[in-house]
Amino acid sequence: MSVEKDIIKIQQKLQNMSDENADQTQALDLLKALKDLPITLDILTKTRVGMTVNSFRKSCKDEEVITFSKALIKNWKKLLSGDKTAAQEPKKEKKERKKSEEKEQKIDSKKDTPKPVVFPTPSTTDAVRLKCRELLVSALRTEDENSGCASVEELADELEDAIFLEFKNTDARYKNRVRSRYSNLKDAKNPQLRNNFIVGAITAAQLAKMTSEEMASDEMKTLRNKLIKETIDDAQLATVQGTTTDLLKCGKCKKRNCTYNQIQTRSADEPMTTFVMCNECGNRWKFC
């Protein structure tokens, strides 16, 4: 009922502005107010506001007001001609919004549904491999055990899998590789290696192929590098005591007048490093 009252008030003001000498400055504001009202076909028929606006349009001289009036009347004619598009729009929007809400609820319910816990089955039944996994678990499990993204059992399985993948069998090379991982992970003087593996800084694939030098603690690496440097310096300075040979060819001057020394710079089971100096041009190089 309030909508009809508002329309009647606007109609009266527009009728008063229809005179030639009347002030029509507020006409556009009144028409805009009409446009914003929820006018239905029933209200349009009762108030006959369309006729009022059309009559005012004919007497108005403002082009903007005339254009706005025509557009307003055109929209109302859609209701009169049975075009229910404007009236049905809110229902359509409500229906679409309801579908959207139902879709979102389904997505949320899927997110909230807990996934079933799946316990992994052992990847091998080989007795040797299972024994090696137990050995690696004992190396990873200590009193000051840190929590990582996986349990020590899972980490041990991954490490053993990576080692087995390289050798494809459980021969002596496989067992030696497992033992070396066990010794380094168990080493109380090198907790950093174990912690890095548990927290994921070192992957199982990386640890499976690391050399003894790479697995060593930072302190041991520093000491080893220092000893190697001192050995190399001593070898290069002691060229006078080296062995002269013509079997080696200088890559720089192509002469075969060289002096060489052999030094053990790596572990005992690795070959010695040979340091060579050309007696002609002074070029130095080394090879294993």
Side-chain angles (χ1 to χ4, degrees):
M1 194 68 181
S2 59
V3 176
E4 293 183 18
K5 289 181 178 180
D6 292 339
I7 292 174
I8 292 171
K9 289 180 181 179
I10 295 173
Q11 280 181 290
Q12 291 175 351
K13 292 180 180 180
L14 289 175
Q15 290 171 355
N16 294 333
M17 293 181 186
S18 298
D19 297 335
E20 294 181 359
N21 298 326
D23 184 10
Q24 298 181 346
T25 55
Q26 295 183 349
L28 187 60
D29 293 334
L30 294 172
L31 293 173
K32 289 180 178 180
L34 278 176
K35 183 177 180 297
D36 294 336
L37 291 173
I39 299 177
T40 62
L41 179 60
D42 185 52
I43 294 175
L44 194 65
T45 305
K46 288 181 179 179
T47 60
R48 295 181 173 270
V49 64
M51 297 178 64
T52 303
V53 173
N54 189 46
S55 175
F56 174 75
R57 176 185 65 81
K58 294 178 180 179
S59 64
C60 183
K61 297 179 180 179
D62 190 327
E63 291 297 329
E64 186 178 2
V65 174
I66 294 172
T67 303
F68 194 90
S69 300
K70 289 181 179 180
L72 195 58
I73 294 170
K74 185 177 180 181
N75 288 336
W76 289 340
K77 282 184 177 180
K78 291 179 181 179
L79 294 176
L80 292 172
S81 61
D83 188 351
K84 300 295 193 302
T85 303
Q88 293 176 351
E89 187 63 25
K91 293 183 180 179
K92 184 179 179 182
E93 292 179 356
K94 184 177 179 181
K95 187 176 181 181
E96 291 177 352
R97 185 172 63 255
K98 186 177 181 181
K99 288 183 179 179
S100 177
E101 290 175 355
E102 290 176 353
K103 187 176 181 181
E104 290 178 359
Q105 289 176 356
K106 289 181 181 179
I107 294 174
D108 292 338
S109 62
K110 288 181 180 180
K111 290 181 179 179
D112 296 337
T113 303
K115 295 182 179 180
V117 179
V118 179
F119 295 96
T121 56
S123 58
T124 181
T125 57
D126 185 273
V128 175
R129 294 185 62 186
L130 292 175
K131 187 65 178 178
C132 288
R133 292 185 179 189
E134 291 178 5
L135 193 68
L136 293 172
V137 168
S138 65
L140 291 170
R141 180 179 287 120
T142 58
E143 294 180 358
D144 59 340
E145 184 174 331
N146 294 330
S147 59
C149 39
S151 65
V152 291
E153 289 82 4
E154 291 173 329
L155 291 172
D157 290 352
E158 290 179 9
L159 180 55
E160 189 277 332
D161 277 334
I163 296 173
F164 182 80
L165 186 63
E166 181 178 355
F167 299 105
K168 301 293 192 301
N169 56 55
T170 56
D171 59 7
R173 296 177 303 161
Y174 162 86
K175 293 177 181 177
N176 289 335
R177 183 67 62 86
V178 173
R179 289 193 192 99
S180 67
R181 305 310 102 164
Y182 168 80
S183 300
N184 283 275
L185 289 171
K186 192 72 174 178
D187 189 359
K189 296 181 179 180
N190 188 17
Q192 186 176 3
L193 177 67
R194 175 184 164 279
N195 291 336
N196 286 340
F197 179 51
I198 289 178
V199 301
I202 299 175
T203 64
Q206 291 173 333
L207 182 56
K209 296 184 178 181
M210 289 175 70
T211 63
S212 57
E213 289 82 3
E214 292 172 335
M215 289 187 291
S217 63
D218 291 341
E219 182 181 358
M220 182 60 69
K221 288 178 182 177
T222 302
L223 179 60
R224 183 176 292 157
N225 291 334
K226 183 180 178 180
L227 292 174
I228 291 175
K229 187 177 184 304
E230 290 176 355
T231 305
I232 292 173
D233 292 341
D234 292 342
Q236 290 178 341
L237 290 173
T239 54
V240 178
Q241 300 176 1
T243 303
T244 303
T245 180
D246 60 355
L247 297 177
L248 300 174
K249 183 178 180 181
C250 176
K252 189 174 182 180
C253 67
K254 310 301 181 184
K255 300 291 182 64
R256 290 184 177 273
N257 181 14
C258 302
T259 300
Y260 71 91
N261 290 283
Q262 288 187 322
I263 306 295
Q264 187 69 48
T265 60
R266 294 178 290 177
S267 57
D269 60 338
E270 296 289 339
M272 299 178 71
T273 302
T274 303
F275 297 90
V276 187
M277 185 187 78
C278 177
N279 297 325
E280 298 289 340
C281 65
N283 181 33
R284 299 172 185 268
W285 70 95
K286 68 175 181 177
F287 61 89
C288 298

